[in-house]
Amino acid sequence: AKENKILIKVNNEIITSIDILNEIRYLSIINEEFKSTENNLKLKIAKNSLIREKIKNIELQKYNQKNKISENMLENILKKYFANFNITSIQEFELFFKKRELSPSLIKKKIKTELMWNQLIYEKFIEKVKIDQKLVEESISNKKKVREYLLSEILINAENNEELNRQVKSITQTINEKNFTQAALTHSVSETARNGGKLGWIKESVLSNKIKKKLSIIKIGQLTQPITIPGGFLILKIEDIREVENKIDLDKEIKNIINEKTNKQLNSYSNIYFNKLKKNIKIDEI
């Protein structure tokens, strides 16, 4: 890192040893589990994370997304994104990362890339998103209690059954030797990989019938078989299940469910679009 060597070329974009060192530091901050990862695996995860970021930046250069992200919007997102670290102002954000030997401007750039990417995906695919409001309304329960799942995910891409079986075998081995978080960090192509695949609490009403059916046959701590979704195969783990009081504000609930379902479809389009881009990108390790 002291010599700052070029290690990877993504088309004409470069990734240096210092870039990888900074990525390892960043991932260690946002994911406690990453700290205990073996050094060679840390290196692999950091490389993959930076390659993914470079591919997005290469595509974003074709568009004018940068001007659509105001400084005020970025600052609000940063405070929200790092709220778990008790960061409530940009001054606190900058001090937090300076103390950890990371440039605040570097972190701003990373988050801005994600914002611009999400914005691009929204503009490209929002018209393809299909939500049946009638089905959403029918899914809203009148029960006093509703079920929620605490879920984690691993998303994988495979061209055929042989490749799928190979990846599932590798994931299972990592889970048995380490844990699910390490498997997500190592194998998942989802944006959630950075935080160990954690999805948080998800209302049952938001889930598709296919996913609800898969979850209904497993218990807390268990994993689903790979579920075919647009752009890949999804493995879900139930971390916990709870019944919560059903406070019905019909209009608000319908809006929330539609937003959740919209985001899920956009995430699928994002994965498909990214995979298509990656096939046309030249990646060379030097």
Side-chain angles (χ1 to χ4, degrees), residues 264-279:
K264 285 182 181 296
Q265 288 190 35
L266 287 173
N267 285 339
S268 292
Y269 281 119
S270 175
N271 186 51
I272 293 167
Y273 188 60
F274 179 85
N275 289 336
K276 184 179 177 181
L277 292 175
K278 189 176 180 181
K279 287 179 181 179

Side-chain angles (χ1 to χ4, degrees), residues 146-149 202-208 212 216 261:
V146 292
R147 173 170 289 198
E148 292 184 350
Y149 291 97
I202 308 291
K203 285 188 177 181
E204 190 175 43
S205 57
V206 170
L207 301 169
S208 69
K212 279 191 281 190
S216 70
K261 287 181 176 290

Side-chain angles (χ1 to χ4, degrees), residues 104-116:
S105 61
L106 173 66
I107 308 306
K108 281 185 180 181
K109 186 178 178 182
K110 294 177 79 65
I111 303 301
K112 195 167 185 176
T113 295
E114 288 305 312
L115 288 174
M116 291 190 296

Side-chain angles (χ1 to χ4, degrees), residues 217-245:
I217 59 175
I218 63 171
K219 299 176 182 178
I220 293 172
Q222 294 182 332
L223 279 62
T224 64
Q225 291 297 312
I227 304 166
T228 305
I229 63 169
F233 298 89
L234 185 66
I235 298 170
L236 292 172
K237 179 186 178 184
I238 300 178
E239 305 285 357
D240 202 355
I241 302 172
R242 69 184 181 189
E243 302 284 329
V244 297
E245 189 177 345

Side-chain angles (χ1 to χ4, degrees), residues 2 15 19 40 46 48-49 91 130 132-133 136 146-147 163 173 222 230-231 242 253 255 276 279:
K2 290 179 181 178
I15 295 173
D19 291 332
N40 61 338
N48 289 338
S49 179
Q91 290 75 22
K130 304 297 179 187
D132 190 327
Q133 185 162 329
V136 170
V146 292
R147 173 170 289 198
E163 186 181 349
Q173 183 177 347
Q222 294 182 332
R242 69 184 181 189
E253 187 69 8
K255 184 178 178 181
K276 184 179 177 181
K279 287 179 181 179

Side-chain angles (χ1 to χ4, degrees), residues 56-138:
K56 288 181 179 180
N57 276 320
I58 288 168
E59 182 66 7
L60 286 167
Q61 287 169 16
K62 301 174 186 176
Y63 301 90
N64 196 28
Q65 301 300 118
K66 188 174 182 180
N67 295 333
K68 297 177 183 178
I69 308 293
S70 68
E71 194 63 27
N72 187 51
M73 179 193 291
L74 179 59
E75 289 184 2
N76 287 333
I77 293 292
L78 287 170
K79 287 186 285 187
K80 184 178 179 181
Y81 195 88
F82 297 106
N84 289 342
F85 300 102
N86 298 317
I87 290 173
T88 59
S89 69
I90 291 303
Q91 290 75 22
E92 289 176 353
F93 161 81
E94 291 179 349
L95 185 61
F96 178 86
F97 283 102
K98 283 178 180 176
K99 282 183 176 179
R100 288 156 181 81
E101 299 181 37
L102 275 172
S103 164
S105 61
L106 173 66
I107 308 306
K108 281 185 180 181
K109 186 178 178 182
K110 294 177 79 65
I111 303 301
K112 195 167 185 176
T113 295
E114 288 305 312
L115 288 174
M116 291 190 296
W117 175 261
N118 291 340
Q119 200 170 58
L120 178 63
I121 295 300
Y122 182 89
E123 291 173 3
K124 276 186 169 292
F125 299 107
I126 188 59
E127 291 184 2
K128 293 186 178 182
V129 171
K130 304 297 179 187
I131 309 291
D132 190 327
Q133 185 162 329
K134 186 177 179 181
L135 286 179
V136 170
E137 291 170 1
E138 290 173 357

